[in-house]
Coordinates of all heavy atoms in Angstrom, one line a residue:
A1 N 14.7 30.3 -10.3 CA 15.6 29.9 -11.4 C 15.0 28.8 -12.3 O 15.5 28.6 -13.4 CB 16.9 29.5 -10.9
G2 N 14.0 28.0 -11.7 CA 13.4 27.0 -12.5 C 13.8 25.6 -12.0 O 13.5 24.6 -12.6
K3 N 14.3 25.5 -10.8 CA 14.8 24.2 -10.3 C 13.7 23.2 -10.1 O 13.8 22.1 -10.5 CB 15.6 24.4 -9.0 CG 16.8 25.4 -9.1 CD 17.5 25.5 -7.8 CE 16.7 26.0 -6.7 NZ 16.2 27.5 -6.9
T4 N 12.6 23.7 -9.4 CA 11.5 22.8 -9.1 C 10.8 22.4 -10.4 O 10.4 21.2 -10.6 CB 10.5 23.4 -8.1 OG1 11.2 23.6 -6.8 CG2 9.3 22.5 -7.9
T5 N 10.6 23.3 -11.2 CA 10.0 23.0 -12.6 C 10.8 22.0 -13.4 O 10.2 21.1 -13.9 CB 9.8 24.3 -13.4 OG1 9.0 25.3 -12.7 CG2 9.2 24.0 -14.8
L6 N 12.1 22.1 -13.3 CA 12.9 21.1 -14.0 C 12.7 19.7 -13.4 O 12.5 18.7 -14.1 CB 14.3 21.4 -14.0 CG 15.3 20.4 -14.6 CD1 15.0 20.1 -16.0 CD2 16.8 21.0 -14.5
V7 N 12.7 19.6 -12.0 CA 12.5 18.3 -11.4 C 11.2 17.8 -11.7 O 11.0 16.5 -12.0 CB 12.8 18.5 -9.9 CG1 12.2 17.3 -9.1 CG2 14.2 18.6 -9.5
R8 N 10.2 18.6 -11.8 CA 8.8 18.2 -12.0 C 8.7 17.7 -13.5 O 7.9 16.8 -13.8 CB 7.8 19.2 -11.7 CG 7.7 19.6 -10.3 CD 6.6 20.6 -10.0 NE 5.3 20.0 -10.2 CZ 4.2 20.6 -10.5 NH1 4.2 21.9 -10.7 NH2 3.0 19.9 -10.6
A9 N 9.4 18.3 -14.4 CA 9.4 17.9 -15.8 C 10.1 16.5 -16.0 O 9.7 15.7 -16.8 CB 10.2 18.9 -16.7
L10 N 11.1 16.2 -15.1 CA 11.8 14.9 -15.2 C 10.9 13.7 -14.9 O 11.2 12.7 -15.3 CB 13.0 14.9 -14.2 CG 14.1 15.9 -14.6 CD1 15.2 15.8 -13.6 CD2 14.6 15.8 -16.0
N11 N 9.8 13.9 -14.1 CA 8.9 12.8 -13.9 C 7.5 13.0 -14.5 O 6.6 12.4 -14.2 CB 8.8 12.5 -12.4 CG 7.8 13.4 -11.7 OD1 7.9 14.6 -12.0 ND2 7.1 12.8 -10.7
R12 N 7.5 14.0 -15.5 CA 6.3 14.3 -16.3 C 5.2 14.9 -15.4 O 4.0 14.8 -15.8 CB 5.9 13.1 -17.1 CG 5.3 13.4 -18.5 CD 4.8 12.2 -19.2 NE 3.4 11.9 -18.7 CZ 2.8 10.7 -19.0 NH1 3.3 9.9 -19.8 NH2 1.6 10.5 -18.5
A13 N 5.5 15.4 -14.3 CA 4.5 16.1 -13.5 C 4.1 17.5 -14.3 O 3.0 17.9 -14.1 CB 5.0 16.5 -12.1
V14 N 5.0 18.0 -15.0 CA 4.7 19.1 -16.0 C 5.3 18.7 -17.4 O 6.2 17.9 -17.4 CB 5.3 20.4 -15.5 CG1 4.8 20.8 -14.2 CG2 6.8 20.4 -15.5
S15 N 4.7 19.2 -18.3 CA 5.1 18.8 -19.7 C 6.0 19.9 -20.3 O 5.8 21.1 -20.1 CB 3.9 18.6 -20.7 OG 3.1 17.6 -20.1
A16 N 7.0 19.4 -21.0 CA 7.9 20.3 -21.8 C 7.2 20.8 -22.9 O 6.5 20.1 -23.7 CB 9.2 19.6 -22.2
S17 N 7.3 22.2 -23.2 CA 6.7 22.8 -24.4 C 7.4 22.4 -25.6 O 6.9 22.4 -26.8 CB 6.7 24.3 -24.2 OG 6.1 24.6 -22.9
S18 N 8.7 22.2 -25.5 CA 9.5 21.7 -26.7 C 10.7 20.9 -26.2 O 11.0 21.0 -25.0 CB 10.0 22.9 -27.5 OG 10.8 23.8 -26.8
G19 N 11.5 20.3 -27.1 CA 12.5 19.4 -26.7 C 12.0 18.1 -26.3 O 10.8 17.8 -26.5
E20 N 12.9 17.2 -25.7 CA 12.4 15.9 -25.3 C 13.2 15.4 -24.0 O 14.3 15.9 -23.8 CB 12.6 14.9 -26.4 CG 14.1 14.7 -26.9 CD 14.2 13.7 -28.0 OE1 13.2 13.2 -28.5 OE2 15.4 13.4 -28.4
I21 N 12.5 14.5 -23.3 CA 13.1 13.9 -22.2 C 13.0 12.4 -22.4 O 11.9 11.9 -22.7 CB 12.3 14.3 -20.9 CG1 12.5 15.8 -20.6 CG2 12.9 13.5 -19.7 CD1 11.6 16.3 -19.4
L22 N 14.1 11.7 -22.3 CA 14.2 10.3 -22.5 C 14.5 9.6 -21.3 O 15.4 9.9 -20.5 CB 15.3 10.0 -23.6 CG 15.1 10.7 -25.0 CD1 16.3 10.4 -25.8 CD2 13.9 10.4 -25.7
L23 N 13.8 8.5 -21.0 CA 14.1 7.6 -19.9 C 14.5 6.2 -20.5 O 13.7 5.6 -21.2 CB 12.8 7.4 -19.0 CG 12.9 6.5 -17.8 CD1 14.0 6.9 -16.9 CD2 11.6 6.4 -17.1
D24 N 15.7 5.9 -20.3 CA 16.3 4.7 -20.9 C 16.1 4.6 -22.4 O 15.7 3.6 -23.0 CB 15.7 3.4 -20.2 CG 16.1 3.2 -18.8 OD1 17.2 3.7 -18.5 OD2 15.4 2.5 -18.0
G25 N 16.3 5.8 -23.0 CA 16.3 5.9 -24.5 C 14.8 6.0 -25.0 O 14.7 6.1 -26.3
R26 N 13.8 6.1 -24.2 CA 12.5 6.1 -24.7 C 11.8 7.4 -24.2 O 12.0 7.8 -23.0 CB 11.7 4.9 -24.1 CG 10.2 4.8 -24.5 CD 9.6 3.6 -23.9 NE 8.2 3.6 -23.8 CZ 7.5 2.7 -23.0 NH1 8.1 1.9 -22.3 NH2 6.2 2.8 -23.0
R27 N 11.0 8.1 -25.0 CA 10.4 9.3 -24.7 C 9.5 9.1 -23.5 O 8.7 8.2 -23.3 CB 9.5 9.9 -25.8 CG 10.4 10.4 -27.0 CD 9.4 10.8 -28.1 NE 10.1 11.3 -29.3 CZ 10.4 12.6 -29.5 NH1 10.1 13.5 -28.6 NH2 11.1 12.9 -30.6
I28 N 9.7 10.1 -22.5 CA 9.0 9.8 -21.2 C 7.5 9.9 -21.4 O 6.7 9.3 -20.6 CB 9.5 10.9 -20.1 CG1 9.1 10.4 -18.7 CG2 8.9 12.3 -20.4 CD1 9.9 11.1 -17.6
G29 N 7.0 10.7 -22.4 CA 5.6 10.7 -22.7 C 5.0 9.4 -23.2 O 3.7 9.2 -23.1
E30 N 5.8 8.4 -23.5 CA 5.4 7.1 -23.9 C 5.1 6.2 -22.7 O 4.5 5.1 -22.8 CB 6.3 6.5 -24.9 CG 6.5 7.3 -26.2 CD 7.6 6.7 -27.1 OE1 8.2 5.7 -26.7 OE2 7.9 7.3 -28.1
Y31 N 5.6 6.6 -21.5 CA 5.4 5.7 -20.3 C 4.0 6.1 -19.7 O 3.6 7.3 -19.7 CB 6.5 6.0 -19.3 CG 7.8 5.4 -19.7 CD1 8.7 6.2 -20.5 CD2 8.3 4.2 -19.2 CE1 10.0 5.7 -20.8 CE2 9.5 3.7 -19.5 CZ 10.4 4.5 -20.3 OH 11.6 4.0 -20.6
S32 N 3.4 5.1 -19.0 CA 2.2 5.4 -18.2 C 2.7 6.0 -16.9 O 3.9 5.9 -16.6 CB 1.5 4.1 -17.9 OG 2.2 3.2 -17.1
R33 N 1.8 6.6 -16.2 CA 2.1 7.2 -14.9 C 2.7 6.1 -13.9 O 3.6 6.3 -13.2 CB 0.9 7.8 -14.3 CG 0.3 9.0 -15.0 CD 1.3 10.1 -15.2 NE 2.0 10.5 -13.9 CZ 3.1 11.3 -13.9 NH1 3.6 11.8 -15.0 NH2 3.6 11.6 -12.7
R34 N 2.1 5.0 -14.0 CA 2.6 3.8 -13.1 C 4.0 3.4 -13.5 O 4.8 3.2 -12.6 CB 1.6 2.7 -13.2 CG 1.9 1.5 -12.2 CD 1.0 0.4 -12.4 NE 1.2 -0.7 -11.4 CZ 0.3 -1.0 -10.5 NH1 -0.9 -0.3 -10.4 NH2 0.6 -1.9 -9.5

């Protein structure tokens, strides 16, 4: 159904093809892995 993929997207282990994920109002792609 996509459950694991969604969880992996939430910590940027996989990238969303479209749309956005925000962590504390900031795009998750702007954060370093650390």
Side-chain angles (χ1 to χ4, degrees):
K3 302 183 298 297
T4 295
T5 298
L6 176 54
V7 163
R8 296 186 69 205
L10 294 180
N11 77 325
R12 219 184 75 188
V14 300
S15 298
S17 308
S18 61
E20 62 180 3
I21 299 175
L22 305 177
L23 178 58
D24 290 336
R26 179 179 163 197
R27 289 177 182 269
I28 200 166
E30 297 174 3
Y31 288 85
S32 68
R33 294 302 311 170
R34 188 184 185 113

